[in-house]
Amino acid sequence: MKISKNTKCPCGSGKKYKDCCFRWHKIGSAPNALLLMKSRYAAYAIGNTDYIIKTTHPTSPHKEKDLDEWKRSIKEFSKSEFKKLEIVEFIDGEKEAFVEFKAFIDDYVMHERSRFVKEDKWYYVDGTQK
């Protein structure tokens, strides 16, 4: 789904997309794990496959070997209705951080505790379903 830069950001900040996650999507990273989590949610909501791929750690079990297939699966998932993102807890660290969230997608609530690591930038590594 394409959205206008003047539309409210899918992450739920209440800001316009151009003043929120768009900047992280444009540069390919976010300054901390919480903003990375929110910007990844927004990227899924709008089908920004490149951002999801760039911000997934190379050792992540979610990283697909077949890049074309991975892009197709992200695009397919992005057809869902991303209704709301709720941050439950954020545990910040210098090199590792955790974000527990609830993502309301279609008629499903995805509740996960995600792990992020910082190397040259912040990356999503994996998550535990709650």
Side-chain angles (χ1 to χ4, degrees):
M1 161 179 112
K2 286 222 173 200
I3 65 168
S4 161
K5 290 179 190 172
N6 290 313
T7 303
K8 281 193 177 182
C9 190
C11 80
S13 67
K15 298 177 184 176
K16 291 180 181 180
Y17 174 61
K18 70 178 180 182
D19 298 325
C20 196
C21 291
F22 172 74
R23 69 181 116 181
W24 314 132
H25 293 169
K26 189 174 178 181
I27 63 172
S29 67
N32 64 50
L34 179 59
L35 290 174
L36 181 60
M37 171 62 234
K38 294 172 102 178
S39 62
R40 282 176 58 89
Y41 175 88
Y44 275 113
I46 65 173
N48 185 341
T49 59
D50 291 338
Y51 187 74
I52 297 301
I53 291 166
K54 285 178 188 173
T55 59
T56 301
H57 195 272
T59 65
S60 173
H62 301 288
K63 185 173 180 69
E64 298 274 344
K65 290 181 180 171
D66 182 332
L67 188 58
D68 290 334
E69 179 56 35
W70 193 10
K71 285 183 177 186
R72 274 193 294 281
S73 69
I74 294 168
K75 286 276 188 206
E76 188 61 34
F77 182 58
S78 293
K79 292 179 183 175
S80 303
E81 182 185 357
F82 288 75
K83 297 177 180 178
K84 180 174 90 168
L85 176 65
E86 180 182 305
I87 303 301
V88 177
E89 182 178 35
F90 173 44
I91 301 170
D92 198 9
E94 196 172 307
K95 296 287 183 188
E96 183 177 51
F98 298 89
V99 180
E100 183 178 341
F101 69 92
K102 291 181 182 177
F104 296 78
I105 304 166
D106 289 334
D107 293 329
Y108 174 73
V109 178
M110 178 183 178
H111 187 178
E112 181 178 297
R113 183 176 191 253
S114 294
R115 182 169 65 103
F116 299 85
V117 294
K118 185 174 185 184
E119 293 176 355
D120 58 320
K121 63 181 184 179
W122 281 100
Y123 292 94
Y124 168 79
V125 180
D126 55 22
T128 305
Q129 298 293 311
K130 295 288 191 169

